[in-house]
Amino acid sequence: MSQPWNRLSRRQLLKGLGGASALPLLGAMPSLAIGGQHAGHVVVVGGGFGGATAAKYLKRANPAIKVTLVEPAEVFYTCPFSNLFLGGLRDMRSIAHNYDELRQRYGVDVIHALAEDIDADAHKVRLSTGDTLRYDRLVLSPGVDMRWDALDGYDEAAAEKAPHAWKAGHQTTLLKQQLEAMEDGGTFIIVAPDNPYRCPPGPYERAGMVAHYFKEHKPNSKVLILDAKDNFSKQGLFTAGWQRLYGDRIEWVGLSNDGRVTRVDADNLEVETEFGTRHRADVLNVIPPQKAGWIADRAGVTDSSGWVPVKPDTFESQQVSDIYVVGDATVAAPMPKSGFCANAQAKVVAAAIASSLEQQPAPTAYWANTCYSLVGPNYGISVAGVYRVTDGAIAEVPGAGGVSPADAPDTVRALEAEYAVGWYNAICQDTWGTQV
Amino acid sequence: MGMHLRACFALAVALGAANSAIAETRLDTDALQLEVLAGSCANCHGTDGRMVGAVPALAGRSAEQLEARLLAFKHEENTGATIMDRIAKGYTDEELATLADYFSHLPATAELTP
């Protein structure tokens, strides 16, 4: 399995010699070598955790499948660990990945263009280059888009002044510059959205990383989280960790205490809550409500929620056949919108598509999730889950998963911080394989 | 399911030994089922469980050792695990044994470094 090209050669040679295949001889010949013949064309739109994994694992499942990955960016910056960049623990290069290994080792055709439209009836994807790709199966890994109409005053222009930094890259470096330019004694406000949104523990990890930066460089500054909900991921662990490492430097205001922000004044770095309380920030980080990336709308796979309902066993769209959707864009609860889940879903999708192209039933789906968060550089916490399809729906396996123990000693927190780095290295190797 | 997976694995190994059998189909559906079962392991242990680093590699280790460890994570207290005790409880004993078999047969080439 580690040598897909060798396996391809062996199999195709056998096919060519054996004549035992049910397929016509020409179709069974070494298709890639003679050109034009393949086991089906799969187009993957989006080169993040979901899309890049799907492309790689399609090729692992059957190297004779032609796989085209469409992704505008030549370098992909991960949201996971972008909070560590804000905290001063990493540089941007350390969270940058490219597509060389997918091209060179796995034979994926990577096109750096934007998928502009999808004609599901004709099975066609139109690219920003003017080209059109015809697919047998389509994988969408569109990630999330911000709902620019959800918070009064918060649109794309406002995000240049009050960054969301919820897609890694320019927005992340912008927020970091503001953080560094801020004078000591200032307030960093994080506006956190209601569920569902990308990376449930993300805003709270960010609070800790910013507080870490303050502790080292701006000791009189504080972090204020204004939250549109009353509970959040790993809440008890985060709260205890903040207290332990940062004292009162982090304040969290939940929905019931008028934490829900409804209006943003990005020019004055001011926000207003549901009941009219105004808060002024020195650095304002607004994480707005989200929806599936817009190409999902163009494909017709989203529903009125703005997200994508999928068939649990295969992650094929419930609304449009031959289109499979993975990652944050999907309705996959109780699986969270995490890079880990996008990767795990993509493997199930790759196997389901490889099977369907050969008229075979999809394998039984298995997924797991692990989300590590750093409260401080040597203080890690985690949540895990194992998932199956039960009675036609995705369900958590009872008795498994859960969060790190509340009463663990510092040595366990330090170990989990170390494993968080191990996890990041492993999942990025598994997804892109290439460190820029 | 567990028994089925283990049978799948035995079959996959047998087919691998007798190359000609694979010519029957372009897609090895049994191997694919194992890849899906083991899919999430790679997210911390690297592709094919071959990542070397803070999280231990799995590929090429003894099946008995891996199975004993996984079963301990699932059934015993104080194994020293931080997270595998929570994950192992999501799988049947048979599935854990199948995973141990699977990784023990993968080559332990330590080429995957961050």
Side-chain angles (χ1 to χ4, degrees), chain A residues 68-409:
Chain A
T68 306
L69 176 64
V70 180
E71 161 61 45
E74 290 185 27
V75 173
F76 188 93
Y77 294 96
T78 60
C79 276
F81 276 29
S82 66
N83 285 330
L84 280 61
F85 166 72
L86 292 175
L89 274 58
R90 289 203 161 219
D91 58 20
M92 283 296 277
R93 195 163 171 275
S94 76
I95 59 167
H97 306 274
N98 70 26
Y99 300 92
D100 289 352
E101 185 172 306
L102 288 179
R103 275 198 187 93
Q104 290 159 16
R105 180 166 176 186
Y106 292 97
V108 175
D109 187 10
V110 182
I111 300 176
H112 292 300
L114 186 68
E116 286 190 333
D117 206 359
I118 287 161
D119 181 341
D121 292 333
H123 282 53
K124 283 179 178 168
V125 181
R126 197 185 74 216
L127 305 183
S128 52
T129 54
D131 294 326
T132 297
L133 301 173
R134 200 189 175 288
Y135 62 81
D136 295 301
R137 303 288 187 277
L138 178 65
V139 179
L140 295 180
S141 184
V144 297
D145 274 359
M146 305 303 144
R147 286 185 182 273
W148 297 118
D149 58 350
L151 301 174
D152 189 17
Y154 195 68
D155 55 15
E156 276 187 273
E160 289 299 306
K161 294 166 182 162
H164 52 75
W166 221 238
K167 291 185 180 190
H170 163 69
Q171 278 278 310
T172 319
T173 52
L174 185 62
L175 188 60
K176 173 77 166 162
Q177 284 160 11
Q178 294 182 354
L179 185 61
E180 286 177 347
M182 194 192 91
E183 286 187 21
D184 189 16
T187 301
F188 185 102
I189 292 184
I190 299 174
V191 175
D194 195 3
N195 296 316
Y197 62 98
R198 161 177 284 178
C199 190
Y204 315 98
E205 180 184 68
R206 179 168 292 177
M209 286 292 100
V210 171
H212 169 71
Y213 169 80
F214 285 162
K215 193 175 175 180
E216 293 210 319
H217 301 285
K218 288 163 188 168
N220 301 307
S221 311
K222 64 171 285 192
V223 179
L224 172 63
I225 307 165
L226 298 172
D227 210 325
K229 55 194 175 298
D230 269 331
N231 303 102
F232 60 87
S233 174
K234 297 179 254 186
Q235 185 164 1
L237 291 169
F238 272 116
T239 307
W242 292 340
Q243 194 60 43
R244 172 120 172 69
L245 298 182
Y246 310 116
D248 297 327
R249 210 174 255 124
I250 298 174
E251 183 189 356
W252 174 77
V253 180
L255 174 71
S256 298
N257 292 314
D258 196 23
R260 190 167 81 88
V261 166
T262 54
R263 194 180 66 81
V264 176
D265 180 350
D267 289 325
N268 295 307
L269 300 182
E270 197 176 82
V271 294
E272 188 176 323
T273 60
E274 199 172 6
F275 296 104
T277 311
R278 292 186 181 187
H279 299 270
R280 213 194 154 278
D282 294 281
V283 176
L284 180 55
N285 172 211
V286 178
I287 305 164
Q290 296 143 36
K291 60 183 178 179
W294 63 278
I295 195 67
D297 280 335
R298 300 301 307 163
V301 295
T302 52
D303 68 11
S304 60
S305 72
W307 304 103
V308 179
V310 292
K311 297 175 184 171
D313 293 297
T314 59
F315 276 62
E316 187 178 12
S317 162
Q318 286 185 9
Q319 298 172 189
V320 184
S321 58
D322 295 339
I323 300 183
Y324 296 69
V325 189
V326 294
D328 297 345
T330 60
V331 180
M335 296 181 81
K337 297 188 186 301
S338 70
F340 193 122
C341 283
N343 170 297
Q345 291 159 6
K347 289 168 185 166
V348 168
V349 161
I353 289 176
S355 301
S356 85
L357 287 170
E358 299 291 320
Q359 287 80 49
Q360 300 284 332
T364 301
Y366 290 83
W367 306 275
N369 178 62
T370 299
C371 287
Y372 284 101
S373 300
L374 287 190
V375 180
N378 301 310
Y379 194 112
I381 56 176
S382 63
V383 60
V386 182
Y387 308 91
R388 297 281 168 79
V389 177
T390 308
D391 300 327
I394 300 170
E396 212 162 338
V397 177
V403 299
S404 310
D407 55 355

Side-chain angles (χ1 to χ4, degrees), chain B residues 34-49:
Chain B
L34 287 165
E35 279 229 356
V36 170
L37 173 68
S40 293
C41 305
N43 297 30
C44 296
H45 296 274
T47 304
D48 291 328

Side-chain angles (χ1 to χ4, degrees), chain B residues 39-64:
Chain B
S40 293
C41 305
N43 297 30
C44 296
H45 296 274
T47 304
D48 291 328
R50 286 159 58 209
M51 189 88 180
V52 176
V55 183
L58 303 174
R61 290 168 61 181
S62 115
E64 292 71 24

Side-chain angles (χ1 to χ4, degrees), chain A residues 1-2 10-11 14-15 23 27 39 56-57 60-62 105 340 343-344 347 351 354-355 358 363-364 366-368 370 372 382 386 388 397 399-404 416 418-419 423 425-427 429-430, chain B residues 1 5 16 19-20 22-29 31-33 35-37 39-40 42-48 50-51 54-56 80 82-83 86-87 89-92 95 102 106-107 111-112 114:
Chain A
M1 258 165 256
S2 56
R10 185 187 69 189
R11 283 201 194 163
L14 289 167
K15 275 183 192 298
L23 296 163
K56 170 172 167 174
Y57 277 78
R60 280 169 58 95
N62 184 355
R105 180 166 176 186
F340 193 122
N343 170 297
K347 289 168 185 166
S355 301
E358 299 291 320
T364 301
Y366 290 83
W367 306 275
T370 299
Y372 284 101
S382 63
V386 182
R388 297 281 168 79
V397 177
V403 299
S404 310
E416 289 221 283
E418 207 182 312
Y419 290 151
W423 162 79
N425 291 336
I427 193 170
Q429 178 279 317
D430 190 46
Chain B
M1 193 66 222
L5 281 169
N19 279 350
S20 59
I22 293 179
E24 293 295 323
T25 172
R26 206 192 279 232
L27 189 73
D28 189 340
T29 52
L32 204 55
Q33 177 65 77
E35 279 229 356
V36 170
L37 173 68
S40 293
N43 297 30
C44 296
H45 296 274
T47 304
D48 291 328
R50 286 159 58 209
M51 189 88 180
V55 183
T82 53
I83 199 160
R86 290 176 260 159
I87 293 171
K89 290 183 176 65
Y91 297 85
T92 66
E95 285 164 350
Y102 174 75
L106 295 176
E111 68 180 56
L112 303 179

